[in-house]
Amino acid sequence: MPPIVHGFDWPDRLVVGTIGLPGERSFYIQARDGRRVVSVAIEKEQSAVLADKIDELLDEVATVEDNRFSVPDAAPTELRDGDPLDQPVEPEFRAGALSLGFDPATAQVVIEAYPIEEDLEVVTESTGDGDEVEAVVELPEPTELLQVKIPVGTARAFVERTREIVAAGRPNPPELG
């Protein structure tokens, strides 16, 4: 059966947001186009890594010789989004994996989120030095996915907001030493 694709090309909104108090927050990536809203639960660490990787991707695209994509160095003011998540938040699934790409034909960043798959066949093998390594034998076809395509300016704004959301949690514990 083909997966259910929650696809958004040029959405009205794409944000990472939270529900709950610091230390107990749940993170979501949420896309909206008109009245259609899709939310996917993600981990705080996934949010942070996604922001970092989008930022790296945009920096790389900006350095392409004869760059025709006009990648801004910072988020354009008019694209910044400080509003809370659209309510009610009803996640379609919890993301187990995220992928990132760039479509040069449309100058868009492509973000995909895939659900956690419960039926993974994991094999444990011993290495030559006595360590054990776990590996997934075959990834099953996902049952559904979120695919969002956003322009480079919107991607910079997404990175900025996501970093603010991640940093707004409880303070880091003091360094031990």
Side-chain angles (χ1 to χ4, degrees), residues 14-139:
L14 177 69
V15 295
V16 165
T18 61
I19 295 178
L21 298 172
E24 300 173 4
R25 298 183 301 164
S26 296
F27 282 72
Y28 301 91
I29 185 169
Q30 188 177 75
R32 180 182 71 214
D33 191 17
R35 297 181 67 141
R36 185 172 70 114
V37 177
V38 172
S39 302
V40 171
I42 59 174
E43 297 297 324
K44 178 181 181 178
E45 293 78 17
Q46 287 174 306
S47 303
V49 169
L50 180 61
D52 290 346
K53 293 301 179 186
I54 291 172
D55 204 31
E56 289 174 19
L57 175 69
L58 292 171
D59 289 347
E60 186 177 318
V61 169
T63 63
V64 170
E65 194 170 318
D66 299 325
N67 183 0
R68 60 180 177 79
F69 303 117
S70 300
V71 177
D73 293 333
T77 305
E78 66 274 10
L79 296 178
R80 293 181 180 158
D81 184 338
D83 292 339
L85 293 170
D86 292 332
Q87 297 293 325
V89 176
E90 298 172 356
E92 298 296 328
F93 58 87
R94 174 166 292 284
L98 300 170
S99 70
L100 183 62
F102 185 75
D103 182 350
T106 60
Q108 289 179 300
V109 172
V110 181
I111 302 166
E112 294 179 336
Y114 301 89
I116 294 173
E117 296 295 339
E118 303 296 331
D119 301 330
L120 296 178
E121 183 181 347
V122 178
V123 175
T124 303
E125 295 183 1
S126 295
T127 62
D129 57 3
D131 291 334
E132 290 189 348
V133 177
E134 287 188 347
V136 175
V137 174
E138 184 177 323
L139 290 173

